[in-house]
Amino acid sequence: AALLLELAKHWPRGRFVGLELDGEVASKGHANIMASGSGDRVKLELGDATAMSMPDASVDVVLSDLPFGRQHGTVEGNAELYPRLLKEAARVLRPDGRAVLLTGEESSHLLSAGARLAGFAIVAEIPLKFGGAGDDHDCILFCLGRGGSTTEEAFDLVQG
C-alpha cells in the first residue's frame, strides 16, 4: 500500500487500485490506507495480477514491483508468470495504456520477451540499484507502451 499512497500524493485526482496475493499483507495495507484518510481513492484488494477483476480497457497505467525470483518466486517461475501477467495487463489497459514494471536483472529477459508477445513496445529499460538496506541489487525498470504511448514523452522520461 505504501507505493499506492505515495502515488496518490502526487496525482490527487487519480484513483489507485492495488492487488496483493498475501491476505495478511493485504490486511495491513488496507489498515494503512484507512489510517491515511485516502480510502476514497486508494484500494488494496486481495487478488492475482494474472486474473484481475477489472473490465477490459479500463486502466490507464499498470505499475508493479514484480517478483524478481530472489526473495519471492524463482526465475524459472517468472518464465510462466510474466507472460500471463503481461497478457492480463494488456487486457485491462486502455488502447494507449502504459505499464511500468520493475524486475531483477536476472529476470529482465523474460519480461522483455513477454512484453513483445503481449503487444507492448518497450519504450525504455532503465537500469537501477534497488532493494535491501544498501539498494545494491541490479534491477531494470521497464516502460512499456501501446498505441500513442510508445514514446519517451508518454512517460515523461529525461535522458541523462
Side-chain angles (χ1 to χ4, degrees):
L3 181 58
L4 297 171
L5 290 169
E6 192 62 32
L7 293 172
K9 290 179 192 175
H10 294 281
W11 287 279
R13 293 188 309 257
R15 194 170 74 92
F16 301 87
V17 179
L19 298 174
E20 175 57 56
L21 275 173
D22 184 307
E24 186 176 329
V25 172
S27 180
K28 289 177 182 177
H30 179 72
N32 290 340
I33 291 167
M34 293 298 107
S36 77
S38 299
D40 58 330
R41 298 185 319 108
V42 180
K43 288 187 349 183
L44 184 61
E45 300 175 353
L46 190 60
D48 183 346
T50 65
M52 297 182 220
S53 61
M54 299 161 194
D56 294 358
S58 64
V59 174
D60 293 316
V61 178
V62 169
L63 174 70
S64 183
D65 177 359
L66 299 170
F68 293 3
R70 294 176 185 158
Q71 277 187 297
H72 303 285
T74 63
V75 173
E76 294 78 20
N78 290 345
E80 180 185 328
L81 173 65
Y82 286 8
R84 290 180 28 232
L85 179 134
L86 288 157
K87 181 179 177 184
E88 184 67 355
R91 181 189 70 77
V92 301
L93 279 170
R94 297 185 198 284
D96 286 344
R98 295 162 289 165
V100 180
L101 307 173
L102 180 67
T103 190
E105 186 177 54
E106 62 275 21
S107 291
S108 64
H109 66 287
L110 301 170
L111 186 56
S112 179
R116 288 187 180 93
L117 285 173
F120 286 102
I122 299 173
V123 177
E125 295 180 40
I126 303 168
L128 52 94
K129 300 282 189 184
F130 183 75
D135 285 340
D136 57 357
H137 298 291
D138 290 327
C139 301
I140 308 289
L141 184 71
F142 280 80
C143 297
L144 309 176
R146 301 185 328 163
S149 295
T150 57
T151 65
E152 290 184 357
E153 291 80 20
F155 291 85
D156 292 330
L157 292 174
V158 177
Q159 292 294 324

